[in-house]
mmCIF file of all heavy atoms in Angstrom:
data_model
loop_
_atom_site.group_PDB
_atom_site.id
_atom_site.type_symbol
_atom_site.label_atom_id
_atom_site.label_comp_id
_atom_site.label_asym_id
_atom_site.label_seq_id
_atom_site.Cartn_x
_atom_site.Cartn_y
_atom_site.Cartn_z
ATOM 1 N N LEU A 1 -17.420 13.129 7.664
ATOM 2 C CA LEU A 1 -16.565 11.882 7.667
ATOM 3 C C LEU A 1 -16.577 11.343 6.215
ATOM 4 O O LEU A 1 -15.458 10.981 5.653
ATOM 5 C CB LEU A 1 -17.057 10.843 8.666
ATOM 6 C CG LEU A 1 -16.302 9.583 8.606
ATOM 7 C CD1 LEU A 1 -14.817 9.756 8.957
ATOM 8 C CD2 LEU A 1 -16.975 8.594 9.664
ATOM 9 N N GLY A 2 -17.727 11.122 5.579
ATOM 10 C CA GLY A 2 -17.877 10.642 4.225
ATOM 11 C C GLY A 2 -17.099 11.477 3.251
ATOM 12 O O GLY A 2 -16.354 10.919 2.396
ATOM 13 N N SER A 3 -17.225 12.751 3.343
ATOM 14 C CA SER A 3 -16.552 13.660 2.417
ATOM 15 C C SER A 3 -15.049 13.629 2.579
ATOM 16 O O SER A 3 -14.298 13.584 1.541
ATOM 17 C CB SER A 3 -16.965 15.115 2.605
ATOM 18 O OG SER A 3 -18.465 15.209 2.342
ATOM 19 N N ALA A 4 -14.538 13.474 3.824
ATOM 20 C CA ALA A 4 -13.094 13.441 4.026
ATOM 21 C C ALA A 4 -12.553 12.169 3.412
ATOM 22 O O ALA A 4 -11.484 12.181 2.835
ATOM 23 C CB ALA A 4 -12.839 13.455 5.576
ATOM 24 N N LEU A 5 -13.269 11.046 3.556
ATOM 25 C CA LEU A 5 -12.835 9.793 3.020
ATOM 26 C C LEU A 5 -12.829 9.795 1.483
ATOM 27 O O LEU A 5 -11.898 9.365 0.845
ATOM 28 C CB LEU A 5 -13.760 8.646 3.486
ATOM 29 C CG LEU A 5 -13.641 8.288 4.985
ATOM 30 C CD1 LEU A 5 -14.677 7.231 5.424
ATOM 31 C CD2 LEU A 5 -12.178 7.816 5.377
ATOM 32 N N VAL A 6 -13.830 10.413 0.948
ATOM 33 C CA VAL A 6 -13.947 10.534 -0.555
ATOM 34 C C VAL A 6 -12.811 11.386 -1.091
ATOM 35 O O VAL A 6 -12.113 11.082 -2.018
ATOM 36 C CB VAL A 6 -15.312 11.139 -0.953
ATOM 37 C CG1 VAL A 6 -15.299 11.537 -2.427
ATOM 38 C CG2 VAL A 6 -16.443 10.133 -0.717
ATOM 39 N N LEU A 7 -12.558 12.553 -0.364
ATOM 40 C CA LEU A 7 -11.484 13.472 -0.841
ATOM 41 C C LEU A 7 -10.131 12.802 -0.700
ATOM 42 O O LEU A 7 -9.241 12.888 -1.509
ATOM 43 C CB LEU A 7 -11.501 14.744 0.025
ATOM 44 C CG LEU A 7 -10.722 15.879 -0.561
ATOM 45 C CD1 LEU A 7 -11.282 16.330 -1.828
ATOM 46 C CD2 LEU A 7 -10.688 17.057 0.501
ATOM 47 N N LEU A 8 -9.950 11.996 0.382
ATOM 48 C CA LEU A 8 -8.696 11.291 0.520
ATOM 49 C C LEU A 8 -8.463 10.283 -0.561
ATOM 50 O O LEU A 8 -7.301 10.240 -1.083
ATOM 51 C CB LEU A 8 -8.676 10.580 1.925
ATOM 52 C CG LEU A 8 -7.415 9.735 2.211
ATOM 53 C CD1 LEU A 8 -6.173 10.618 2.249
ATOM 54 C CD2 LEU A 8 -7.591 8.987 3.548
ATOM 55 N N GLY A 9 -9.506 9.543 -0.975
ATOM 56 C CA GLY A 9 -9.410 8.634 -2.069
ATOM 57 C C GLY A 9 -9.077 9.339 -3.358
ATOM 58 O O GLY A 9 -8.281 8.865 -4.158
ATOM 59 N N VAL A 10 -9.695 10.468 -3.580
ATOM 60 C CA VAL A 10 -9.431 11.241 -4.802
ATOM 61 C C VAL A 10 -8.021 11.689 -4.814
ATOM 62 O O VAL A 10 -7.267 11.602 -5.846
ATOM 63 C CB VAL A 10 -10.431 12.450 -4.937
ATOM 64 C CG1 VAL A 10 -10.025 13.315 -6.036
ATOM 65 C CG2 VAL A 10 -11.819 11.908 -5.170
ATOM 66 N N LEU A 11 -7.517 12.203 -3.695
ATOM 67 C CA LEU A 11 -6.136 12.680 -3.607
ATOM 68 C C LEU A 11 -5.143 11.542 -3.931
ATOM 69 O O LEU A 11 -4.152 11.775 -4.575
ATOM 70 C CB LEU A 11 -5.880 13.338 -2.267
ATOM 71 C CG LEU A 11 -6.384 14.701 -2.012
ATOM 72 C CD1 LEU A 11 -6.181 15.192 -0.540
ATOM 73 C CD2 LEU A 11 -5.725 15.719 -2.967
ATOM 74 N N VAL A 12 -5.361 10.326 -3.325
ATOM 75 C CA VAL A 12 -4.480 9.272 -3.505
ATOM 76 C C VAL A 12 -4.463 8.823 -5.002
ATOM 77 O O VAL A 12 -3.486 8.560 -5.629
ATOM 78 C CB VAL A 12 -4.939 8.067 -2.652
ATOM 79 C CG1 VAL A 12 -4.089 6.826 -3.019
ATOM 80 C CG2 VAL A 12 -4.621 8.419 -1.119
ATOM 81 N N GLY A 13 -5.723 8.785 -5.564
ATOM 82 C CA GLY A 13 -5.778 8.445 -7.057
ATOM 83 C C GLY A 13 -5.138 9.440 -7.880
ATOM 84 O O GLY A 13 -4.406 9.092 -8.806
ATOM 85 N N LEU A 14 -5.318 10.758 -7.589
ATOM 86 C CA LEU A 14 -4.654 11.749 -8.417
ATOM 87 C C LEU A 14 -3.153 11.689 -8.231
ATOM 88 O O LEU A 14 -2.387 11.892 -9.204
ATOM 89 C CB LEU A 14 -5.164 13.093 -8.043
ATOM 90 C CG LEU A 14 -6.603 13.502 -8.519
ATOM 91 C CD1 LEU A 14 -7.054 14.805 -7.978
ATOM 92 C CD2 LEU A 14 -6.659 13.461 -10.000
ATOM 93 N N SER A 15 -2.738 11.448 -7.030
ATOM 94 C CA SER A 15 -1.255 11.391 -6.761
ATOM 95 C C SER A 15 -0.603 10.309 -7.526
ATOM 96 O O SER A 15 0.464 10.419 -8.141
ATOM 97 C CB SER A 15 -0.966 11.234 -5.244
ATOM 98 O OG SER A 15 -1.418 12.355 -4.532
ATOM 99 N N GLU A 16 -1.290 9.173 -7.577
ATOM 100 C CA GLU A 16 -0.735 7.985 -8.310
ATOM 101 C C GLU A 16 -0.799 8.289 -9.800
ATOM 102 O O GLU A 16 0.160 7.965 -10.576
ATOM 103 C CB GLU A 16 -1.472 6.725 -7.992
ATOM 104 C CG GLU A 16 -1.211 6.268 -6.513
ATOM 105 C CD GLU A 16 -2.029 5.035 -6.154
ATOM 106 O OE1 GLU A 16 -2.853 4.630 -7.057
ATOM 107 O OE2 GLU A 16 -1.828 4.507 -5.091
ATOM 108 N N GLY A 17 -1.934 8.827 -10.239
ATOM 109 C CA GLY A 17 -2.113 9.079 -11.702
ATOM 110 C C GLY A 17 -1.089 10.137 -12.251
ATOM 111 O O GLY A 17 -0.667 10.010 -13.375
ATOM 112 N N LEU A 18 -0.862 11.163 -11.445
ATOM 113 C CA LEU A 18 0.032 12.243 -11.835
ATOM 114 C C LEU A 18 1.520 11.957 -11.488
ATOM 115 O O LEU A 18 2.375 12.784 -11.777
ATOM 116 C CB LEU A 18 -0.438 13.555 -11.245
ATOM 117 C CG LEU A 18 -1.794 14.025 -11.601
ATOM 118 C CD1 LEU A 18 -2.120 15.261 -10.812
ATOM 119 C CD2 LEU A 18 -1.893 14.352 -13.092
ATOM 120 N N GLY A 19 1.727 10.831 -10.848
ATOM 121 C CA GLY A 19 3.140 10.447 -10.473
ATOM 122 C C GLY A 19 3.596 11.305 -9.303
ATOM 123 O O GLY A 19 4.847 11.443 -9.087
ATOM 124 N N VAL A 20 2.749 11.853 -8.424
ATOM 125 C CA VAL A 20 3.073 12.601 -7.289
ATOM 126 C C VAL A 20 3.170 11.648 -6.159
ATOM 127 O O VAL A 20 2.184 11.001 -5.757
ATOM 128 C CB VAL A 20 2.012 13.701 -6.992
ATOM 129 C CG1 VAL A 20 2.488 14.512 -5.747
ATOM 130 C CG2 VAL A 20 1.940 14.593 -8.165
ATOM 131 N N THR A 21 4.350 11.435 -5.576
ATOM 132 C CA THR A 21 4.510 10.535 -4.470
ATOM 133 C C THR A 21 4.690 11.280 -3.167
ATOM 134 O O THR A 21 4.978 12.409 -3.149
ATOM 135 C CB THR A 21 5.753 9.630 -4.687
ATOM 136 O OG1 THR A 21 6.922 10.476 -4.834
ATOM 137 C CG2 THR A 21 5.584 8.811 -5.977
ATOM 138 N N GLY A 22 4.635 10.534 -2.070
ATOM 139 C CA GLY A 22 4.891 11.171 -0.747
ATOM 140 C C GLY A 22 6.380 11.594 -0.655
ATOM 141 O O GLY A 22 7.211 11.128 -1.431
ATOM 142 N N ASP A 23 6.609 12.442 0.332
ATOM 143 C CA ASP A 23 7.962 12.906 0.547
ATOM 144 C C ASP A 23 8.894 11.716 0.926
ATOM 145 O O ASP A 23 8.530 10.844 1.703
ATOM 146 C CB ASP A 23 8.016 13.890 1.600
ATOM 147 C CG ASP A 23 7.348 15.236 1.265
ATOM 148 O OD1 ASP A 23 7.385 15.540 0.008
ATOM 149 O OD2 ASP A 23 6.832 15.932 2.075
ATOM 150 N N ASP A 24 10.119 11.708 0.393
ATOM 151 C CA ASP A 24 11.139 10.819 0.777
ATOM 152 C C ASP A 24 11.930 11.527 1.928
ATOM 153 O O ASP A 24 12.249 12.676 1.832
ATOM 154 C CB ASP A 24 12.116 10.454 -0.346
ATOM 155 C CG ASP A 24 11.398 9.592 -1.405
ATOM 156 O OD1 ASP A 24 10.628 8.747 -1.093
ATOM 157 O OD2 ASP A 24 11.635 9.935 -2.666
ATOM 158 N N TYR A 25 12.222 10.759 2.984
ATOM 159 C CA TYR A 25 12.891 11.368 4.074
ATOM 160 C C TYR A 25 13.653 10.356 4.924
ATOM 161 O O TYR A 25 13.485 9.192 4.758
ATOM 162 C CB TYR A 25 11.854 12.117 5.019
ATOM 163 C CG TYR A 25 10.902 11.165 5.719
ATOM 164 C CD1 TYR A 25 11.223 10.517 6.972
ATOM 165 C CD2 TYR A 25 9.677 10.809 5.083
ATOM 166 C CE1 TYR A 25 10.384 9.641 7.526
ATOM 167 C CE2 TYR A 25 8.792 9.965 5.707
ATOM 168 C CZ TYR A 25 9.198 9.335 6.934
ATOM 169 O OH TYR A 25 8.288 8.481 7.566
#
């Protein structure tokens, strides 16, 4: 559980930093 939360936070941070946004639909 802790690792999943950490990885999710890292993915969100990287997505924002790299300008990768969620799909528009």
Side-chain angles (χ1 to χ4, degrees):
L1 178 60
S3 299
L5 292 175
V6 169
L7 194 66
L8 178 61
V10 171
L11 283 172
V12 171
L14 287 175
S15 297
E16 293 180 353
L18 297 174
V20 179
T21 59
D23 290 332
D24 293 319
Y25 65 88

